[in-house]
Amino acid sequence: MSKAGAWRGTGEGVNLAGWSLRDKIGQMVMAGFDGKAPTDEIRALIRERKLGGVIYFRRNAGSVAEVARLSAALRELAAEATKAPLWIAVDQEGGMVARLDQGVTVMPGHMALGATRSAKWARETAYASGAQLMRLGVNLNFAPCLDVNNNPANPVIGVRSFGERPELAAELGIAAIRGYREAGVVACAKHFPGHGDTVADSHRELPTVPHDRKRLEEVELLPFRLAAAAGADAIMTAHVRFPALEPDGLPATLSPRLLRGLLRDEWGYDGVVFTDCLEMKAIAGTVGVARGAVMAVKAGADVVLVSHTPALQKAALDALYEAVEAGEIAEARIDESVRRIAGLKARQSAAVPVGPVPAARSDAGTGPDDFDFGGEAAALAREVCRRSVTLVRNERGALPLRRDVPTFVVWPEVRQGTEVDEALARELTLGRALAPYLSRVKEFRIGTVPGEDEVRETLAEIDRALEDIRERAAVRGEPGSDRTLLQVVVGTYNAAFAAGQTELVNHLLACEGVRVTAAALRNPYDFLAFPEVHAYAACYENTPCMMEALAEVLAGETEARGRLPVTLSERYPFGHGISGFRKERDGEET
């Protein structure tokens, strides 16, 4: 079988003779841990509980050498203790959700790819990301997201989706799955049956998607159904209720009707089913982690994730073991999942053998021969970023930015991250990216949820600068009221959830002589908070690569070529995008 072919299968050829119940149960749990070296707790879970998989988060992400050594140490532990190879997983979606970013090229995220409309780039970026993961010993990626994001109020998916059209999500998602597989990585499509049209975050509560079966079939379910038919090796469940599909009120993760009835029986899916993390409040705050593990397996899940707490990881393992011993779960049901898991692991290992981890030349960086993740991968990321920047609005000659007019840039810093809103170090801010193209750039930094004092101080400084510009123009006898005295670029970050960002933009719009451009550094729906802004660009993420691409567009060095993958309003629908404005000459009034 070629690398491009599906690895999944029923696992009927896997011989479980000699496997103890502990061996089997261990394969059905994936756990996370703290630190850049194996902890005593994770060692014990692998050695004594026969743990089948681990998941990395940012807390595990050191240099590429450290990550590779960590993976090698974990694989060695598993080789001595377990009956099947260890899955080492990560959420490396790209863009704003990338657990590993030191010494690797982070690929553009899903919505940036959606703005390019290119299945080719979805496949190529997945391959490039997957190839890097394999070099670090990571053989399973919880990506792509096949959620159809058609709800501007969604607090958890947003730019993690390819867009609002199910056909686009399916096309690009299937292309990404193939790209990961070609690199040797198992791709796990998520979050089945769809987390895109929710107004709640399942990390914090239990959301509901209230639509009828017909609508669900046409929108939420379509990308997953097509991906399953195309040979997706793994699918992750959502902690979301779908009353039209599960009238008993169970979230999809715990629903036999959805996992066994719809996914297995109706669609004939025989790949591995993972749960999302059971420590999320949608499960932990309702049925609890241990009981949730038992209910998920009874519903049809193969692997349950318990990502953070050692005591809860042990509780989930114990609960599953005790449920079999008590007869609540038949051992044949356990065998069914273990055959799938072990079969996929075996087929993956046969297709892409895991070789020795190369020794890096330095803990602090990458050796030129050992971990060279630049070159083609970086060039690919730059090209996709350039193709994705979407210019939505350009009124009053706001763009391109003019070199002869002072430019203020407001940069929102993510100061406290969550699992889907990460506090990443951004060495290249938008102000720094614009500096090579403009003569006078000053940057202000605020929080993504700025307080009243922070907004007031920023506005006061901008007002003082504007007054100074007016006074100097008056001394020179220049007109002031009908010309651009100052251009301000406000980077916005989920502005719908941060009133201070909206206040800042709207105050600036009321200032005479100021041209205001808003640049959405994550959520394109920010536009809805200030629809009269003079210019608006969406770039879907604030990675350094994307900031370079955005700066080129704002300064008129290149055309914006992206198209909206979501609808902002009737005037700015799916597919809208402005391109082709020419760069104005320095000093020319616009």
Side-chain angles (χ1 to χ4, degrees):
M1 179 184 296
S2 70
K3 291 182 185 179
W7 295 330
R8 75 174 202 202
T10 61
E12 291 178 358
V14 176
N15 185 357
L16 297 182
W19 288 58
S20 69
L21 183 57
R22 288 288 185 197
D23 289 327
K24 297 173 186 177
I25 295 295
Q27 288 295 311
M28 298 179 67
V29 176
M30 178 173 282
F33 60 97
D34 290 329
K36 298 175 178 61
T39 60
D40 290 342
E41 291 85 357
I42 203 69
R43 288 178 182 274
L45 287 178
I46 293 173
R47 286 174 174 161
E48 300 167 16
R49 304 299 186 98
K50 315 302 181 182
L51 191 73
V54 297
I55 179 171
Y56 288 163
F57 286 90
R58 183 155 295 277
R59 64 198 180 200
N60 308 114
S63 68
V64 289
E66 289 174 316
V67 175
R69 283 201 297 271
L70 174 58
S71 299
L74 292 167
R75 288 206 314 265
E76 184 177 352
L77 284 168
E80 296 172 354
T82 64
K83 301 289 188 181
L86 186 72
W87 264 329
I88 300 177
V90 72
D91 293 286
Q92 194 78 354
E93 298 171 15
M96 300 308 299
V97 180
R99 311 302 189 206
L100 308 176
D101 69 343
Q102 294 186 41
V104 302
T105 297
V106 176
M107 289 294 121
H110 288 28
M111 195 165 282
L113 285 161
T116 72
R117 302 294 198 273
S118 174
K120 172 179 178 289
W121 278 325
R123 187 170 183 167
E124 289 184 3
T125 55
Y127 177 83
S129 183
Q132 294 177 104
L133 293 177
M134 284 297 288
R135 290 291 306 280
L136 300 181
V138 177
N139 53 11
L140 192 156
N141 192 14
F142 289 123
C145 295
L146 298 187
D147 307 287
V148 180
N149 199 90
N150 47 21
N151 190 330
N154 191 315
V156 65
I157 301 299
V159 295
R160 301 170 67 200
S161 164
F162 291 110
E164 69 176 28
R165 298 285 178 89
E167 297 82 6
L168 180 66
E171 181 187 12
L172 271 57
I174 291 169
I177 290 168
R178 289 172 176 159
Y180 284 119
R181 187 185 296 128
E182 288 163 352
V185 171
V186 171
C188 183
K190 60 189 184 184
H191 305 81
F192 171 82
H195 204 330
D197 196 359
T198 65
V199 293
D201 179 353
S202 53
H203 291 85
R204 297 181 172 88
E205 56 187 301
L206 179 56
T208 298
V209 174
H211 304 297
D212 62 27
R213 176 68 183 255
K214 182 176 184 296
R215 149 62 196 257
L216 294 172
E217 291 279 4
E218 293 172 348
V219 180
E220 281 77 12
L221 293 175
L222 186 142
F224 292 99
R225 179 172 57 79
L226 295 181
D233 295 303
I235 287 176
M236 174 181 279
T237 66
H239 306 328
V240 178
R241 288 181 295 207
F242 293 79
L245 303 175
E246 174 49 88
D248 291 340
L250 293 169
T253 295
L254 309 181
S255 169
R257 288 187 177 97
L258 282 165
L259 302 192
R260 188 164 294 281
L262 177 62
L263 189 57
R264 298 288 191 204
D265 296 341
E266 289 189 35
W267 291 0
Y269 182 67
D270 58 4
V272 176
V273 174
F274 289 79
T275 73
D276 209 339
C277 178
L278 299 184
E279 292 190 61
M280 293 162 63
K281 292 298 183 183
I283 301 297
T286 53
V287 300
V289 171
R291 186 60 193 165
V294 173
M295 294 177 68
V297 169
K298 289 175 68 175
D302 298 308
V303 182
V304 298
L305 266 69
V306 188
S307 301
H308 304 289
T309 310
L312 293 175
Q313 292 159 358
K314 294 175 185 175
L317 286 158
D318 287 343
L320 288 171
Y321 186 88
E322 292 163 6
V324 176
E325 290 285 280
E328 183 179 2
I329 299 177
E331 189 164 355
R333 166 68 192 90
I334 299 297
D335 290 351
E336 174 192 332
S337 284
V338 175
R339 286 194 176 95
R340 277 197 202 96
I341 295 163
L344 178 53
K345 287 182 175 183
R347 288 186 292 277
Q348 180 191 30
S349 297
V352 189
V354 177
V357 175
R361 300 175 186 273
S362 167
D363 286 351
T366 63
D369 300 319
D370 301 317
F371 290 105
D372 182 9
F373 290 154
E376 292 183 4
L380 173 64
R382 284 193 295 271
E383 181 63 20
V384 174
C385 286
R386 286 174 176 146
R387 297 275 182 168
S388 65
V389 175
T390 308
L391 183 58
V392 176
R393 179 178 168 91
N394 188 23
E395 305 290 331
R396 303 190 189 183
L399 295 178
L401 297 173
R402 289 173 46 190
R403 191 175 183 86
D404 65 313
V405 175
T407 305
F408 284 2
V409 178
V410 180
W411 174 261
E413 293 184 299
V414 184
R415 295 172 183 171
Q416 183 175 3
T418 68
E419 288 187 10
V420 295
D421 190 26
E422 297 190 286
L424 308 181
R426 298 303 191 203
E427 295 180 359
L428 184 65
T429 63
L430 181 55
R432 291 178 181 175
L434 281 169
Y437 305 113
L438 306 173
S439 58
R440 288 169 288 175
V441 178
K442 182 172 183 177
E443 187 171 77
F444 302 87
R445 299 195 179 196
I446 62 173
T448 54
V449 187
E452 291 183 8
D453 290 344
E454 196 171 11
V455 172
R456 190 180 305 112
E457 290 170 6
T458 302
L459 288 172
E461 190 164 353
I462 292 174
D463 285 343
R464 286 193 295 270
L466 184 59
E467 186 58 33
D468 180 61
I469 293 169
R470 287 196 179 100
E471 289 177 359
R472 286 189 279 111
V475 169
R476 295 193 298 267
E478 298 174 354
S481 61
D482 60 347
R483 69 186 299 269
T484 302
L485 303 178
L486 180 67
Q487 49 196 4
V488 182
V489 180
V490 182
T492 64
Y493 191 96
N494 290 348
F497 306 102
Q501 294 185 40
T502 301
E503 178 187 349
L504 179 64
V505 173
N506 286 329
H507 177 92
L508 291 169
L509 287 173
C511 294
E512 190 176 36
V514 177
R515 293 291 176 265
V516 185
T517 296
L521 306 182
R522 182 167 181 148
N523 193 334
Y525 298 111
D526 288 356
F527 178 75
L528 302 177
F530 29 77
E532 298 305 316
V533 69
H534 302 142
Y536 184 74
C539 62
Y540 316 104
E541 56 198 60
N542 66 19
T543 57
C545 183
M546 189 63 82
M547 291 305 92
E548 291 177 344
L550 176 62
E552 291 174 0
V553 169
L554 297 182
E557 296 295 317
T558 188
E559 294 182 358
R561 287 176 281 184
R563 295 292 180 265
L564 282 174
V566 295
T567 295
L568 302 184
S569 68
E570 184 176 349
R571 183 177 176 185
Y572 304 109
F574 177 93
H576 172 81
I578 300 172
S579 61
F581 64 70
R582 64 187 179 88
K583 186 176 181 182
E584 300 291 345
R585 297 188 300 273
D586 289 351
E588 182 178 325
E589 195 64 49
T590 58

